[in-house]
Amino acid sequence: MDAYSQVVVAVAEQLLPRVAAVHLPGERGEAEGSAVVLTGEGHLLTNAHVVGHAPAGEAFFADGSSSHVEVVGRDPLADLALLRAERELMEPPVFRDVEDLRIGSLVVAVGNPLGLAGSVTAGVVSGLGRSLPVRTPNGMRLIEDVIQTDASLNPGSSGGALADSAGRVIGINTAVAGLGVGLAVPVNATTRRIIAALMHDGRVRRAYLGLVTSPAVLPPRWAERTGHRTALRVVEVVPGSPSAASGILSHDLVIAVQGRPLGDAQSLQRLLFEDAIGRRLEITVLRNGALVDTVVVPAELAG
């Protein structure tokens, strides 16, 4: 067996018993997806869009067993949801943060696409820092910093595991963006905080700025001054939002928050949880070649 096959087989053997097929009632009949064992006490991690508004469902495992599962909580803005099985589960896989993930790295996707239980596909990381639009009760939002892969994903793959060559889970498969393009919610500090909130409170309280941003390259002079090559370009300022009241404009480049350089969307997301609601945030933007300081008071993001 060649080295590539050995890696994929080893990852499959680790993860297939730890990725369940889940069936939940949906608005248009039964919804199907996948879920990854998170704790031996019975928690599983999946996508919010897989569970929808369902309160409960069934999980089916590779050994032929099944369990009733309750929906503990869901966070549509991150497209993550937490389930709890009625029995103990096997030891979970290792969840690895993706800060050092590189384009071209081998990845393996494990899930239950098209009703085909225990399916495995392999590919590479084909992009990082992508944005995925999702529909919420407040309109369209963006899930930032998703992983793009060419590992084949199909309906039913959602909620399954995207793993590295060592079998460590680096993302939760969330969408098929197009032919040969799959996306996954990354495992990182923000994701872990969301999971902890779902486990403890069943929901995630977030601060709301009313900004839609995308990564942008800083001009060389400002890159040297800040020590970062990238910033966040403001694509849209939501009318009536805290950011609109502060004077932030479309096309501004957000380069610092509270005086600290901001290199990516993840840096901003880490600031926008419960403890930021109603507190002053000093945001520095680059506008027409000059620094402009603004003060934003985040509101609470409605559920």
Side-chain angles (χ1 to χ4, degrees):
M1 187 184 299
D2 63 85
Y4 177 84
S5 298
Q6 289 177 359
V7 169
V8 176
V9 168
V11 173
E13 289 176 346
Q14 288 184 59
L15 289 184
L16 281 173
R18 295 170 168 84
V19 177
V22 292
H23 296 184
L24 302 105
E27 295 178 357
R28 301 179 181 178
E30 190 174 67
E32 298 182 355
S34 306
V36 184
V37 173
L38 183 67
T39 72
E41 289 74 31
H43 294 97
L44 299 108
L45 188 61
T46 186
N47 289 142
H49 81 261
V50 169
V51 305
H53 298 289
E58 296 289 326
F60 301 88
F61 298 89
D63 62 1
S65 65
S66 63
S67 175
H68 180 75
V69 291
E70 300 284 341
V71 178
V72 176
R74 69 205 90 203
D75 182 32
L77 196 56
D79 199 17
L80 292 174
L82 190 65
L83 308 175
R84 178 72 182 264
E86 290 185 334
R87 63 180 177 86
E88 292 186 351
L89 304 176
M90 70 184 311
E91 182 181 352
V94 174
F95 285 75
R96 168 205 166 188
D97 286 16
V98 299
E99 274 72 11
D100 60 347
L101 192 64
R102 300 176 64 182
I103 292 175
S105 299
L106 171 66
V107 289
V108 179
V110 180
N112 302 279
L114 304 173
L116 303 174
S119 293
V120 176
T121 60
V124 298
V125 174
S126 47
L128 294 169
R130 305 303 194 211
S131 295
L132 172 66
V134 294
R135 186 172 297 280
T136 73
N138 299 300
M140 295 301 294
R141 306 290 185 193
L142 292 178
I143 300 175
E144 306 281 5
D145 282 353
V146 298
I147 303 167
Q148 178 186 329
T149 177
D150 65 354
S152 179
L153 301 177
N154 292 288
S157 295
S158 290
L162 186 69
D164 65 11
S165 58
R168 298 171 297 186
V169 177
I170 59 171
I172 301 298
N173 300 322
T174 188
V176 182
L179 186 62
V181 178
L183 301 173
V185 178
V187 176
N188 53 35
T190 300
T191 304
R192 291 182 186 277
R193 187 166 181 178
I194 290 167
I195 293 169
L198 292 177
M199 192 172 294
H200 187 265
D201 301 319
R203 68 188 186 106
V204 179
R205 292 186 67 203
R206 277 195 176 82
Y208 169 62
L209 293 178
L211 288 179
V212 178
T213 64
S214 65
V217 177
L218 272 175
R221 178 167 71 96
W222 293 102
E224 182 177 353
R225 179 170 172 176
T226 63
H228 289 274
R229 295 177 55 248
T230 60
L232 294 178
R233 183 174 300 282
V234 177
V235 177
E236 179 186 355
V237 180
V238 178
S241 68
S243 290
S246 76
I248 293 177
L249 303 176
S250 293
H251 307 298
D252 283 349
L253 280 175
V254 180
I255 64 171
V257 177
Q258 302 292 73
R260 298 180 180 178
L262 191 69
D264 53 29
Q266 189 63 26
S267 300
L268 182 58
Q269 287 180 350
R270 279 194 289 266
L271 301 173
L272 298 180
F273 283 94
E274 180 176 359
D275 51 1
I277 297 170
R279 296 180 57 187
R280 290 165 49 96
L281 277 183
E282 296 181 3
I283 297 180
T284 303
V285 301
L286 184 63
R287 180 185 302 163
N288 299 325
L291 293 181
V292 177
D293 291 323
T294 65
V295 174
V296 185
V297 180
E300 180 170 1
L301 181 65

